[in-house]
Amino acid sequence: MPKDDNVLSEKKIRDCLEKDTDIKEIIVLNEVNSTNSYAKELANNGKGNTVVIANSQTNGRGRLGRNFTSPASNGIYMSIIIRSDISLSISSLMTPCIAVAVAEAIESVCSCDVKIKWVNDLFLNERKICGILTETSVNRGKLDYAVVGIGINVRKSEFPDELRDIATSLESETGQKIDRNILCGVIIQSIEKHMRNLEKREFMEEYRRRSFIIGKKVLIGGMESVATACGIDDYARLIVKLDDDTKVAVNFGEARIIK
Ligand code: BTN
């Protein structure tokens, strides 16, 4: 069992939210296969504006079919069901917008400098601390709902061999003790604030400022040769320059930085 000050609590999370929050329900679970899968089931039964958070996940999922290691009491494993009238073209901006919201929330809880690796990974001192998995359901050409899953490594922990050099945790990097309930509440609040202005694309400037991929050599999944990342456009696509100086806008996939 986690120690009292490390127990996830619906009340403590809700206490961090503003009075005008649109979040109707916060569901706290001890263990679940994946908060995204759980939230999708709720959304398919009509739920919206609901947060699902678990103390551990037995089958935490990442992008591109990867696993997200989710040991008990160690991290934040949270999914938010968002229902909104936004168009599908705007909905593709949700993940970068939420990346900015989570980065700002983390910095307001512990002093550090969070960077974003296109599209959806948050980094601290060049190692990953957080990933975001957005899954959407579309109905008649419009967004029905989005489930936004956020996984943050909070406590010091042993990572599997393949992650040891690329992942880290908030507490290992900052040396600060982090209250997961407060961090969750501040993240939800920050996401609500940014999502209200999604269509204005106000977050884009901050998304670019936090990017540490610009100017670096990258290998994009599906492309054969190394390219140079040279910008991020208003659709949050990564602009890369190829060997022959042509520029290509990439809207999906993984950009591996070549050192
Ligand atoms: C990634 O790094 O590729 C994305 C990781 C997303 C992990 C979070 S943890 C909460 C939610 N539930 C899941 O199964 N995945 C997301």
Side-chain angles (χ1 to χ4, degrees):
M1 279 295 278
K3 279 201 248 124
D4 265 6
D5 64 352
N6 191 26
V7 173
L8 291 170
S9 143
E10 194 240 315
K11 181 177 179 312
K12 285 188 185 157
I13 296 171
R14 194 167 275 288
D15 281 349
C16 299
L17 306 188
E18 302 277 347
K19 292 226 161 40
D20 68 347
T21 176
D22 290 325
I23 296 298
K24 293 188 192 124
E25 204 176 339
I26 298 172
I27 300 171
V28 177
L29 306 167
N30 184 37
E31 183 178 276
V32 71
N33 56 355
S34 148
T35 56
N36 261 39
S37 305
Y38 189 98
K40 274 165 70 178
E41 216 165 300
L42 294 179
N44 287 332
N45 287 309
K47 274 236 200 254
N49 297 359
T50 297
V51 175
V52 179
I53 171 158
N55 193 48
S56 71
Q57 297 184 120
T58 53
N59 187 26
R61 297 186 287 110
R63 280 173 79 236
L64 310 170
R66 296 184 183 132
N67 291 329
F68 188 82
T69 315
S70 316
S73 312
N74 259 11
I76 287 180
Y77 320 118
M78 168 166 83
S79 302
I80 308 180
I81 306 169
I82 297 175
R83 287 190 187 271
S84 163
D85 285 341
I86 53 173
S87 67
L88 288 183
S89 61
I90 293 290
S91 72
S92 64
L93 296 175
M94 272 192 317
T95 302
C97 175
I98 284 166
V100 169
V102 177
E104 288 181 359
I106 291 174
E107 285 181 2
S108 76
V109 168
C110 51
S111 40
C112 57
D113 187 12
V114 179
K115 299 282 182 215
I116 300 175
K117 177 166 166 280
W118 182 88
V119 184
N120 65 328
D121 289 337
L122 302 191
F123 273 59
L124 203 50
N125 303 335
E126 301 195 356
R127 288 201 284 169
K128 179 165 165 172
I129 46 155
C130 166
I132 299 168
L133 173 68
T134 304
E135 299 181 286
T136 53
S137 163
V138 174
N139 190 4
R140 296 181 194 187
K142 293 211 84 176
L143 180 75
D144 179 18
Y145 66 77
V147 166
V148 179
I150 298 152
I152 307 178
N153 309 321
V154 177
R155 307 254 178 272
K156 269 188 192 164
S157 63
E158 276 296 306
F159 290 100
D161 285 350
E162 67 278 14
L163 295 181
R164 205 154 289 150
D165 293 334
I166 51 176
T168 186
S169 70
L170 275 179
E171 289 195 348
S172 334
E173 295 304 313
T174 64
Q176 295 169 51
K177 180 102 185 89
I178 288 153
D179 184 318
R180 291 185 301 160
N181 291 307
I182 293 177
L183 184 55
C184 281
V186 175
I187 288 173
I188 297 166
Q189 195 61 55
S190 178
I191 289 176
E192 282 198 279
K193 182 189 96 187
H194 277 282
M195 282 296 293
R196 287 189 189 122
N197 295 317
L198 181 68
E199 289 181 63
K200 293 190 201 144
R201 290 180 161 87
E202 278 169 1
F203 69 93
M204 277 305 308
E205 202 183 317
E206 194 54 17
Y207 186 68
R208 292 189 186 100
R209 192 187 71 75
R210 288 179 182 275
S211 170
F212 68 97
I213 202 170
I214 311 294
K216 298 211 166 120
K217 298 263 179 223
V218 289
L219 189 61
I220 306 287
M223 282 190 179
E224 274 162 21
S225 53
V226 171
T228 306
C230 53
I232 294 171
D233 72 9
D234 282 347
Y235 301 91
R237 297 179 303 187
L238 185 68
I239 310 298
V240 297
K241 196 159 77 173
L242 308 178
D243 275 352
D244 62 2
D245 272 359
T246 50
K247 287 188 177 170
V248 179
V250 185
N251 54 14
F252 182 77
E254 169 107 323
R256 190 151 62 83
I257 297 173
I258 308 293
K259 292 201 171 145

